């Protein structure tokens, strides 16, 4: 198994969120418990080499061809994270596009480890993207809150603490703007049992201690809860874990794959799960990976919830945002304004520019800023001001939504209930949905529909009819075009 695990880096020191955990290391380390860039001979942390990760992990880069296909299939311009290579890598994403094209069901799965009360702009990135995917595909979404993980992987945190973080983090996640009709959020402590627990045990039975060790770097003194947790996070990618959403007919539900948007450090969990899925003939989850948002201190670092100066928090006031950017945001500019005007700045390492890449929607404006900064026409102060404005607007909009989330809203999202979604409007197949009040009883909702992607006779007939009409229309349009071309060439 390809692995970037640095055994030393994974000894059982308390898992903390410090920005660079292993100051003496030289190699970059990216796994669920450690994220840090390579440390050069000068002791300075380098930017994370994402191309190297794609090679080591054995994932695929998201290229233009895939994005073009995405746009053709969904009719939607790719999200700025996709256009700018922020969401940069995947496993079997094309299979999800195939299913969407055919109107076959799949679902989105993502999660958060509630490790603190302070959610920052780095945390909201995968959720922003997930929300956009949910709108694009009109599909169900499952969000796992791994309170158990955050308890097991910390020496200090108590169960009471992670439970309280879980509640407030759920409110933060909801504030990103998810649709309650299509979204189920659950806490591991509260929800695991029944079908999900059966799948967890199914998965854990197929993972040996050796595999877990080489995948995560565990050793003899690792507590056994940590070893088992991989099965907990993995089994959530199987639709059959959620009968209240997909029904109880495992023949159908085990064929429904998840698409998992996540930061690249989560990939090891799903590598194991994909291996086992193939062996027990369950649909393998697909993945789509995001890069990290640098800490204010610059490339190679990651925002930390426990270090106030490292991040912009969703609770920060406009003034705090302004002060943090002005005071801490690493600059790619030159020491003096004069030198800067002459030589220009480096956008690659400039934190304010990098944040604009994540948050500024307009491609043309971003490009103008890049060129002007690199030429030295734009000074660091100007660039920081733009970044401040953008982040203040982003955080303020979030805070407005957050103020409206009540305990009832959280309870609504976290209740095990049927979800409603419509799938691809251009595909004729009905997706399986559990009808309200019928939770888990009637698998696949409508008889014979969806699930395994098979059609009823009536659906087939309808499909053929629609296809014939579409073909006729296309033929007519072609003829018309040919006539016009002929007429035009006559005129010329
Ligand atoms: N382990 C993740 C964390 O610590 C939480 C998580 C669980 C997750 N399932 C996921 C993240 C699926 C992304 C996708 O934050």
């Amino acid at each position: 198994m390809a692995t970037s695990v640095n055994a030393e880096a994974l000894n059982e020191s308390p898992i903390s969120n410090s920005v660079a955990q292993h100051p003496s290391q030289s190699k970059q380390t990216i796994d669920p418990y450690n994220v840090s860039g390579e440390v050069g001979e000068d002791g300075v942390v380098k930017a994370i080499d994402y191309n190297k990760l794609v090679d080591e992990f054995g994932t695929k880069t998201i290229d233009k061809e895939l994005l073009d296909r995405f746009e053709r299939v969904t009719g939607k311009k790719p999200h700025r994270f996709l256009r700018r290579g922020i969401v940069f890598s995947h496993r079997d994403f094309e299979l999800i596009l195939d299913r969407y094209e055919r109107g076959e069901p799949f679902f989105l799965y993502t999660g958060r480890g509630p490790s603190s009360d302070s959610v920052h702009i780095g945390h909201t990135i995968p959720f922003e993207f997930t929300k956009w995917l949910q709108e694009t595909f009109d599909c169900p979404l499952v969000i796992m809150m791994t309170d158990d993980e955050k308890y097991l992987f910390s020496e200090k945190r108590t169960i009471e603490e992670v439970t309280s973080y879980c509640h407030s983090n759920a409110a933060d996640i909801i504030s990103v703007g998810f649709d309650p009709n299509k979204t189920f959020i659950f806490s591991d402590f509260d929800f695991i049992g029944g079908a999900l627990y059966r799948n967890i045990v199914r998965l854990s039975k197929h993972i040996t201690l050796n595999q877990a060790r080489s995948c995560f770097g565990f050793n003899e003194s690792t507590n056994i809860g940590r070893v088992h947790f991989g099965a907990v996070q993995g089994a959530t990618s199987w639709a059959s874990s959620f009968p209240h959403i997909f029904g109880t007919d495992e023949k159908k539900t085990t064929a429904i794959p998840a698409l998992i948007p996540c930061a690249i450090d989560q990939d090891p969990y799903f590598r194991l799960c994909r291996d086992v899925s193939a062996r027990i003939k369950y649909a393998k989850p697909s993945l789509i990976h995001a890069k990290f948002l640098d800490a204010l201190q610059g490339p190679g670092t990651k925002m930390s919830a426990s270090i106030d100066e490292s991040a912009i928090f969703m609770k920060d006031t406009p003034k705090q945002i302004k002060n943090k950017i002005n005071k801490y945001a690493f600059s790619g500019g030159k020491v003096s304004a004069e030198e800067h005007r002459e030589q220009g700045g480096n956008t690659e390492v400039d934190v304010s520019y990098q944040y604009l890449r994540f948050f500024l929607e307009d491609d043309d404006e971003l490009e103008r800023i890049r060129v002007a900064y690199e030429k030295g026409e734009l000074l660091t102060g100007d660039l920081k001001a733009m970044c401040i404005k953008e982040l203040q607007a982003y955080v303020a909009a979030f805070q407005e939504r957050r103020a409206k989330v009540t305990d009832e809203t959280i309870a609504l999202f976290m209740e095990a209930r049927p979800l409603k979604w419509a799938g691809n409007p251009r595909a004729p197949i009905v997706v399986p949905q559990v009808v309200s009040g019928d939770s888990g009883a009637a698998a696949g909702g409508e008889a014979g529909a969806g699930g395994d992607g098979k059609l009823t006779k009536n659906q087939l007939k309808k499909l053929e009819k629609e296809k014939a009409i579409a073909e006729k229309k296309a033929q007519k349009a072609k003829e018309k075009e040919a006539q016009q071309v002929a007429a035009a060439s006559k005129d010329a």
Side-chain angles (χ1 to χ4, degrees):
M1 180 162 296
T3 171
S4 73
V5 166
N6 171 342
E8 246 170 22
L10 281 164
N11 65 22
E12 297 305 300
S13 58
I15 305 293
S16 76
N17 287 315
S18 60
V19 174
Q21 294 205 5
H22 309 285
S24 61
Q25 81 183 76
S26 57
K27 272 164 85 185
Q28 69 174 2
T29 307
I30 312 288
D31 62 55
Y33 323 117
N34 303 282
V35 175
S36 58
E38 181 183 338
V39 178
E41 273 170 16
D42 51 2
V44 177
V45 189
K46 294 187 188 166
I48 291 164
D49 184 344
Y50 288 102
N51 292 330
K52 203 164 148 193
L53 275 184
V54 167
D55 285 347
E56 280 178 359
F57 284 13
T59 66
K60 287 203 180 117
T61 305
I62 295 176
D63 56 16
K64 183 163 183 308
E65 206 185 321
L66 185 59
L67 289 184
D68 286 348
R69 166 135 198 259
F70 173 89
E71 189 161 354
R72 270 199 314 278
V73 170
T74 62
K76 212 164 154 180
K77 180 173 161 186
H79 190 274
R80 62 179 187 277
F81 294 168
L82 289 165
R83 304 199 298 270
R84 296 175 193 165
I86 290 166
V87 171
F88 71 108
S89 145
H90 76 103
R91 291 184 189 272
D92 289 344
F93 183 47
E94 70 283 359
L95 296 186
I96 296 293
L97 293 179
D98 292 347
R99 289 186 74 89
Y100 181 74
E101 211 167 22
R102 294 193 297 256
E104 292 168 1
F106 60 90
F107 71 108
L108 289 165
Y109 158 37
T110 192
R112 157 140 181 95
S115 55
S116 89
D117 256 336
S118 10
V119 167
H120 55 59
I121 55 172
H123 292 134
T124 58
I125 296 281
F127 289 104
E128 285 290 337
F129 185 61
T130 302
K131 177 188 155 219
W132 182 84
L133 285 174
Q134 184 184 49
E135 285 166 4
T136 303
F137 290 129
D138 195 345
C139 66
L141 160 66
V142 167
I143 301 177
M144 172 187 222
M145 305 297 290
T146 56
D147 35 20
D148 52 350
E149 175 190 24
K150 292 299 143 175
Y151 173 66
L152 287 165
F153 284 86
S154 156
E155 305 295 318
K156 292 186 301 241
R157 279 180 218 122
T158 62
I159 290 199
E160 290 69 32
E161 266 176 82
V162 293
T163 300
S164 128
Y165 299 152
C166 178
H167 187 81
S168 64
N169 287 187
D172 289 330
I173 290 168
I174 291 167
S175 308
V176 170
F178 292 104
D179 182 342
N181 289 319
K182 296 173 196 157
T183 308
F184 172 52
I185 305 180
F186 70 91
S187 126
D188 285 355
F189 281 143
D190 290 346
F191 179 70
I192 289 177
L196 176 53
Y197 188 60
R198 283 195 290 275
N199 274 343
I200 290 170
V201 174
R202 245 178 216 140
L203 179 51
S204 68
K205 190 178 180 179
H206 290 84
I207 301 173
T208 64
L209 184 56
N210 263 342
Q211 285 169 323
R213 274 176 75 147
S214 72
C215 192
F216 300 111
F218 297 142
N219 63 32
E220 277 76 9
S221 44
T222 303
N223 72 53
I224 60 174
R226 292 186 187 189
V227 179
H228 182 253
F229 176 76
V232 176
Q233 179 152 334
T236 302
S237 40
W238 290 337
S240 56
S241 300
F242 305 100
H244 63 278
I245 304 174
F246 302 104
T248 51
D249 183 350
E250 290 202 348
K251 270 202 205 87
K252 285 179 180 166
T253 56
T254 53
I256 300 175
L259 170 61
I260 308 174
C262 60
I264 185 77
D265 62 331
Q266 297 296 306
D267 186 73
Y269 283 122
F270 303 115
R271 241 180 273 156
L272 281 182
C273 175
R274 280 168 54 87
D275 285 351
V276 177
S277 303
R279 273 157 60 202
I280 67 172
K281 303 206 161 51
Y282 279 28
K284 270 190 193 179
S286 292
L287 289 116
I288 179 158
H289 304 112
K291 293 181 181 171
F292 301 106
L293 190 62
D294 290 334
L296 284 161
Q297 284 65 30
T301 59
K302 192 185 149 196
M303 288 191 173
S304 162
S306 53
I307 304 174
D308 189 57
E309 304 79 39
S310 77
I312 304 292
F313 290 91
M314 302 315 283
K315 279 184 188 149
D316 283 350
T317 62
K319 203 168 154 206
Q320 281 171 318
I321 295 174
K322 185 174 165 198
N323 288 342
K324 278 187 187 173
I325 296 288
N326 280 335
K327 207 163 158 195
Y328 302 113
F330 185 82
S331 167
K334 295 289 176 313
V335 209
S336 71
E338 213 178 29
E339 212 178 301
H340 185 88
R341 283 207 183 85
E342 249 170 49
Q343 300 171 19
N346 179 355
T347 50
E348 290 277 310
V349 298
D350 192 288
V351 164
S352 305
Y353 178 78
Q354 289 304 320
Y355 289 3
L356 284 171
R357 270 186 76 231
F358 275 75
F359 290 98
L360 187 71
E361 178 59 33
D362 188 330
D363 290 339
D364 296 336
E365 198 184 340
L366 185 70
E367 182 57 11
R368 274 197 298 274
I369 294 171
R370 187 186 66 77
V371 171
Y373 193 65
E374 287 180 356
K375 276 191 187 157
E377 292 163 7
L378 195 69
L379 298 178
T380 295
D382 306 326
L383 186 64
K384 284 197 171 190
M386 290 174 186
C387 176
I388 290 165
K389 196 177 125 222
E390 208 56 44
L391 290 183
Q392 283 173 338
Y394 177 69
V395 172
F398 174 91
Q399 287 174 355
E400 220 169 272
R401 292 188 298 268
R402 180 69 165 82
K404 291 189 197 129
V405 175
T406 61
D407 282 350
E408 286 75 47
T409 322
I410 300 172
L412 168 70
F413 274 89
M414 299 188 80
E415 190 195 328
R417 68 209 186 280
L419 301 178
K420 287 183 227 109
W421 71 95
N424 184 352
R426 295 186 285 190
I429 299 168
V430 184
V431 294
Q433 290 183 20
V434 176
V435 182
S436 199
D438 182 21
S439 190
E446 244 150 291
D452 48 8
K454 287 218 178 78
L455 302 183
T456 62
K457 267 189 193 155
N458 273 340
Q459 285 172 333
L460 259 179
K461 243 191 206 161
K462 200 171 155 203
L463 190 63
E464 269 157 17
K465 211 166 151 191
E466 275 172 359
K467 210 170 137 195
I469 292 172
E471 273 168 8
K472 235 184 207 165
K473 256 193 192 159
Q475 185 60 30
K476 267 201 184 141
K478 229 183 185 174
E479 282 167 18
K480 204 168 165 195
E481 204 178 310
Q483 277 168 8
Q484 278 167 353
V485 170
S489 61
K490 244 187 228 160
D491 288 348

